[in-house]
Amino acid sequence: MQKRIKNIDKFINKPVECQIDIFSYLIKKAEKTTFGKDHNFKKITDYNCFKKEVPIRTYEELEPYIARIRKGEHDILWPGKVKRFAKSSGTTNNKSKFIPITDECLYDCHFKAGKDMLSLYENNFPKNDLYNGKGLMLGGSISEKSKFKEGDLSAILINEFPYWVSYHRVPDLETALMKEWDEKLNKIAHQAMQENITSLTGVPSWMLILLKRILVISKAKNISELWPNLELYMHGGVNFDPYKKQFQNLIPNKKMNYLENYNASEGFFAIQDKNPSEGMLLLLDYGIFYEFIDMDQYKKGILDAVDLKEVELNKKYAVVISTNAGLWRYLIGDIVEFTNLTPYRIIVSGRTKSCINAFGEELMVHNSDNAIKNACKKYNCLINEYTAAPIFIDNKSGGHQWFIEFVKKPISLDLFMQEVDTQIKKINSDYEAKRTNNLILKFPELITIENNEFYLWLKENQRLGGQNKIPRLSNDRKIADRILDIRKKFSTKIRQNKNN
């Protein structure tokens, strides 16, 4: 662990030099690939040359190369054949994305980051007792194809873990990779109840479901009663603020620690290195070269990226990566802000596509997350999930329709939504302008989710488990209308049962 801390210190002290080395390695390694030949990698000598030869791409634009890899071709985006693909559903549609997971990406990025996350925890909490128990890891599933394996990134990592990790992990491999989610949760619960669990890893929304099921089965008052030595939850995938109070209620142990990470199918990007958090430390020697597009420019369709040395504090950037998985100038769709430049620390503040901008309000995920968090705090309530979409009231104005699944309802739903509306006005001037005198945006409409509509939507879209979640914000009505359909069918069924 101390050796890893020394390596972390190296890229903290010489970040720009580290990124230059990564850039040179990537270009040299891939110059004989199909992509390298198509984009004159042999002639690329520096970053400016790279920008001229290689355009910024979305997944859809890179997909023709990935399709060839999935047919069994080698040396396409990265040297050799790809044996694994992380399957991602995206945020607003059902079309699956298949992200290549090369050996270099697996070992020099994802596994390396996992070790460093534990190293940073050891460094911050040297008196911990983490390794005298086992870690409960909640992941998705994988499937075997003729030429490769594909599935959730979490499942791929669990399947490939070295023996010493598996020895300290719950559940067993067969259970961990099960596809049937309800049966899987029950099996995990029964296995975990018999162990001394000291750490948790998984997406918050799904981890909450599992922990609540464990309490029902075990009949324990809380998780700390069942696992008194539990001390760490490593989480990522969504903003943790709306969930933290629920975890604290379930795990009242005062020694409990929460460690955030920024891990995606495309790579492991950042880890929380301070407690309390000052943002997440950007990982600079993991085979990933970073570029950033100013969001003000991005909104205008100007994809002019800068490298690490040109970024500024508290400015929103769309992230572009080139990686040892063969993703070249790939626009991952996340928006980050730098909270510190020495060392480089970031927060994830939204998605380039996960927003509502139907009326020029530019409502981003970090706006809605903060508004929900503050409204819950003010009215002493808890939510499980939410999503929002535009609603067109008449030809001249519109509004936002919010779907919220409460764990604990506020004393007044109207007051709660007034607070959400007020909070967004405070942090989003565009929204505030559109809400003035109800001229463009009417007061937001609330629909409470009480019959598992979110779960049913996830199930029918094959998004149960893993890193999947309800998209927070959508700029169209596809998800909202489908949830309303599910809701209507459920109500119709209830009425029919009563009549019978």
Side-chain angles (χ1 to χ4, degrees):
M1 292 299 181
Q2 291 304 318
K3 288 180 180 179
R4 291 305 314 155
I5 291 296
K6 290 180 180 179
N7 287 332
I8 293 170
D9 287 340
K10 286 181 182 179
F11 73 74
I12 285 178
N13 295 325
K14 294 185 177 181
V16 174
E17 293 87 344
C18 179
Q19 278 286 276
I20 291 173
D21 289 343
I22 291 292
F23 172 79
S24 299
Y25 161 75
L26 292 173
I27 296 299
K28 184 66 177 176
K29 184 78 173 180
E31 66 179 18
K32 294 181 180 179
T33 63
T34 299
F35 189 93
K37 293 174 183 176
D38 289 347
H39 296 82
N40 300 312
F41 272 27
K42 282 190 175 181
K43 295 181 180 179
I44 294 176
T45 56
D46 56 30
Y47 175 52
N48 287 328
C49 184
F50 180 56
K51 290 171 71 173
K52 291 177 182 178
E53 294 289 347
V54 184
I56 291 173
R57 283 178 166 88
T58 62
Y59 176 84
E60 288 74 16
E61 292 166 324
L62 195 65
E63 199 272 337
Y65 288 99
I66 294 175
R68 292 178 61 180
I69 300 173
R70 287 175 60 78
K71 290 178 181 177
E73 295 186 47
H74 56 84
D75 301 332
I76 302 298
L77 291 171
W78 191 255
K81 284 191 175 183
V82 177
K83 305 171 188 175
R84 318 163 196 89
F85 288 88
K87 186 178 180 181
S88 171
S89 298
T91 57
T92 58
N93 58 53
N94 297 330
K95 183 179 179 181
S96 295
K97 297 178 182 178
F98 296 95
I99 305 300
I101 305 294
T102 62
D103 288 346
E104 288 87 347
C105 174
L106 184 68
Y107 293 102
D108 297 338
C109 183
H110 291 290
F111 283 176
K112 185 177 180 181
K115 294 175 186 176
D116 285 357
M117 185 159 55
L118 292 173
S119 299
L120 288 166
Y121 181 69
E122 289 278 344
N123 200 51
N124 288 325
F125 301 94
K127 295 182 179 180
N128 75 81
D129 203 22
L130 199 65
Y131 301 108
N132 284 328
K134 291 190 175 183
L136 172 56
M137 295 185 181
L138 186 57
S141 61
I142 58 174
S143 59
E144 295 267 0
K145 302 295 181 181
S146 58
K147 298 181 178 67
F148 49 79
K149 296 176 182 178
E150 68 181 33
D152 293 331
L153 173 69
S154 56
I156 290 174
L157 298 182
I158 289 173
N159 189 54
E160 298 284 349
F161 276 149
Y163 76 93
W164 59 270
V165 176
S166 297
Y167 179 77
H168 287 278
R169 177 184 55 75
V170 174
D172 62 70
L173 186 60
E174 181 181 355
T175 303
L177 301 181
M178 285 177 62
K179 292 183 180 180
E180 178 51 48
W181 194 247
D182 284 330
E183 184 183 355
K184 177 176 180 172
L185 284 177
N186 284 331
K187 286 195 172 185
I188 292 174
H190 282 98
Q191 287 185 32
M193 284 163 47
Q194 310 304 317
E195 300 286 353
N196 173 29
I197 301 297
T198 55
S199 69
L200 306 173
T201 306
V203 175
S205 54
W206 292 104
M207 185 59 72
L208 277 175
I209 293 173
L210 175 61
L211 294 181
K212 290 175 181 178
R213 185 164 299 191
I214 287 172
L215 287 181
V216 170
I217 296 172
S218 68
K219 297 181 180 179
K221 294 179 180 178
N222 55 58
I223 293 297
S224 296
E225 180 183 299
L226 185 64
W227 299 322
N229 298 315
L230 179 62
E231 63 175 86
L232 175 63
Y233 176 35
M234 295 172 279
H235 62 87
V238 296
N239 183 352
F240 189 57
D241 284 340
Y243 299 98
K244 190 167 185 178
K245 188 173 181 180
Q246 290 189 66
F247 275 93
Q248 290 173 335
N249 288 341
L250 289 172
I251 312 170
N253 185 350
K254 293 182 179 179
K255 295 181 180 180
M256 187 68 183
N257 297 298
Y258 298 88
L259 192 62
E260 184 179 12
N261 64 75
Y262 178 17
N263 188 17
S265 299
E266 295 86 355
F268 207 127
F269 306 127
I271 300 171
Q272 179 185 337
D273 67 321
K274 295 291 183 181
N275 190 33
S277 177
E278 298 175 7
M280 291 177 285
L281 180 69
L282 189 62
L283 305 174
L284 301 175
D285 70 339
Y286 290 63
I288 301 173
F289 178 74
Y290 294 96
E291 300 175 75
F292 305 91
I293 304 173
D294 187 325
M295 278 303 296
D296 290 336
Q297 298 295 307
Y298 180 88
K299 291 172 186 176
K300 298 174 184 176
I302 302 172
L303 303 184
D304 185 17
V306 300
D307 60 6
L308 191 66
K309 66 178 181 293
E310 296 186 57
V311 299
E312 301 174 23
L313 284 175
N314 304 316
K315 203 170 189 176
K316 292 180 173 59
Y317 292 100
V319 182
V320 178
I321 57 172
S322 297
T323 77
N324 52 10
L327 303 177
W328 298 103
R329 303 203 80 197
Y330 180 86
L331 190 64
I332 63 175
D334 288 337
I335 301 170
V336 302
E337 296 177 51
F338 284 86
T339 59
N340 200 317
L341 300 182
T342 51
Y344 287 95
R345 292 196 185 97
I346 60 172
I347 57 172
V348 181
S349 58
R351 295 278 297 174
T352 56
K353 292 184 179 180
S354 183
C355 66
I356 303 179
N357 195 33
F359 309 101
E361 66 274 43
E362 296 186 7
L363 177 65
M364 307 299 290
V365 168
H366 66 284
N367 298 152
S368 58
D369 277 347
N370 283 330
I372 289 287
K373 170 189 171 185
N374 292 332
C376 284
K377 184 176 181 180
K378 182 172 182 177
Y379 290 104
N380 190 29
C381 57
L382 293 173
I383 74 159
N384 186 41
E385 288 286 4
Y386 78 88
T387 189
I391 182 172
F392 300 90
I393 300 171
D394 53 45
N395 292 330
K396 295 182 179 179
S397 65
H400 292 167
Q401 191 174 48
W402 291 72
F403 299 80
I404 301 179
E405 186 176 43
F406 287 95
V407 175
K408 178 183 178 183
K409 285 186 177 181
I411 54 173
S412 168
L413 294 174
D414 286 338
L415 289 175
F416 179 86
M417 286 311 297
Q418 286 178 25
E419 185 63 23
V420 170
D421 185 52
T422 299
Q423 289 292 330
I424 297 175
K425 288 177 183 176
K426 287 181 180 180
I427 55 181
N428 186 320
S429 59
D430 289 316
Y431 179 90
E432 182 183 31
K434 304 302 183 296
R435 282 281 295 119
T436 301
N437 298 321
N438 293 320
L439 184 62
I440 297 175
L441 288 177
K442 303 293 186 183
F443 184 79
E445 175 184 335
L446 171 63
I447 294 177
T448 57
I449 297 298
E450 298 177 340
N451 300 303
N452 289 325
E453 288 94 336
F454 285 160
Y455 177 88
L456 293 172
W457 184 90
L458 288 166
K459 185 175 183 179
E460 73 175 20
N461 286 281
Q462 299 180 346
R463 296 192 188 189
L464 289 180
Q467 296 174 305
N468 298 310
K469 52 191 176 290
I470 285 283
R472 297 298 200 202
L473 304 176
S474 302
N475 211 36
D476 56 44
R477 298 258 337 144
K478 292 179 181 177
I479 295 174
D481 288 341
R482 183 57 193 144
I483 290 174
L484 288 174
D485 287 342
I486 295 171
R487 181 185 178 88
K488 185 178 179 181
K489 288 180 180 179
F490 186 88
S491 298
T492 301
K493 187 176 181 180
I494 292 294
R495 286 197 301 270
Q496 290 174 344
N497 289 338
K498 285 183 178 179
N499 292 334
N500 292 334

